[in-house]
Amino acid sequence: QTVVTQEPSLSVSPGGTVTLTCGLNSGSVSTIYYPSWYQQTPGQAPRTLIYSTTTRSSGVPDRFSGSILGNKAALTITGAQADDESDYYCVLYIGRGISVFGTGTKVTVL
Amino acid sequence: QLQLQESGPGLVKPSETLSLTCTLSGGSFSSHSYYWGWIRQPPGKGLEWIGTGYYTGSTFYNPSLKSRVTISVDTSKNHFSLKLSSVTAADTAVYYCARLIDLGFTYYFDYWGQGTLVTVSS
């Protein structure tokens, strides 16, 4: 069974930088998994932030950036703001039409 | 602007079939670049991909749900549907529909419905 793991929770100070990661139990994450990232606030539908590892979706501030760090996909928030406090999910495409959501990271800005 | 809207019963009895529809406005199903997906989120938990369908009838399902799931796309009615059979309390969740872009070199969900809560209870 494919499992995509994320940090359960992270905290960041206003104006600070935080990096979330997205790992795969069966091996390394690379661009061939087309990592994408989604932000979700309570009671709302997810919002697309990043796709194809590094591409920001339309209207997403440039303080959000995506990358591959070591063997994981990563989402970095640089200059965190209060309204970045949300849940964040990565998604990996593992082939044969199958997508797998990560376990999610709750980011607190304090 | 493309919009997706889920609809269907908010309460389903255990062992029965959950049926939801996602209506598309401002766009078309008949594009080779788009798939149409369902994702769910149990209360207080994370997101889970259920499956995706294509306008030609092709479908892809989460292996853990595959035996109970049917997704279909009806281009004439501008909607796509989810059926989940033999439901239990564990299927209680907010169900989202979403558009999936597949261009061969990129693959992601770009538009989401607002979600609809389905509770499984007698």
Side-chain angles (χ1 to χ4, degrees), chain B residues 18-82:
Chain B
L18 177 160
S19 296
L20 295 174
T21 295
C22 182
T23 300
L24 169 69
S25 58
S28 171
F29 282 113
S30 303
S31 167
H32 66 276
S33 299
Y34 304 133
Y35 286 76
W36 306 91
W38 290 95
I39 298 99
R40 71 180 183 178
Q41 185 170 38
K45 297 188 178 180
L47 298 164
E48 179 182 35
W49 175 73
I50 299 171
T52 54
Y54 197 49
Y55 76 99
T56 59
S58 298
T59 52
F60 306 93
Y61 299 135
N62 186 323
S64 68
L65 298 170
K66 188 174 183 177
S67 63
R68 300 194 291 131
V69 174
T70 302
I71 290 174
S72 58
V73 178
D74 189 332
T75 57
S76 66
K77 295 181 179 178
N78 233 33
H79 71 214
F80 62 107
S81 302
L82 168 70

Side-chain angles (χ1 to χ4, degrees), chain A residues 4 13 21 25 28 39 46 50 52 68 71 73 79 86 89 94 101 103-104 109-110:
Chain A
V4 177
S13 300
T21 67
N25 66 332
S28 297
Q39 177 190 48
I50 300 284
S52 295
I68 297 290
N71 62 351
S86 301
Y89 294 91
I94 63 169
F101 279 79
T103 50
V109 181
L110 48 72

Side-chain angles (χ1 to χ4, degrees), chain B residues 83-106:
Chain B
K83 292 187 186 300
L84 181 66
S85 63
S86 304
V87 297
T88 68
D91 295 310
T92 293
V94 174
Y95 285 77
Y96 295 99
C97 59
R99 188 177 79 170
L100 176 71
I101 291 182
D102 180 1
L103 298 177
F105 55 86
T106 191

Side-chain angles (χ1 to χ4, degrees), chain A residues 34 36 38 40 43-48 51-52 57 89 91 93 96-103, chain B residues 39 41 45-49 52 60-61 63 96 100 104-114:
Chain A
Y34 305 111
S36 54
Y38 305 84
Q40 187 183 37
Q44 299 297 313
R47 168 199 180 196
T48 307
Y51 61 91
S52 295
S57 189
Y89 294 91
V91 174
Y93 173 67
R96 303 185 310 280
I98 296 174
S99 298
V100 183
F101 279 79
T103 50
Chain B
I39 298 99
Q41 185 170 38
K45 297 188 178 180
L47 298 164
E48 179 182 35
W49 175 73
T52 54
F60 306 93
Y61 299 135
Y96 295 99
L100 176 71
F105 55 86
T106 191
Y107 188 93
Y108 66 102
F109 296 98
D110 64 341
Y111 283 95
W112 297 71
Q114 66 185 26

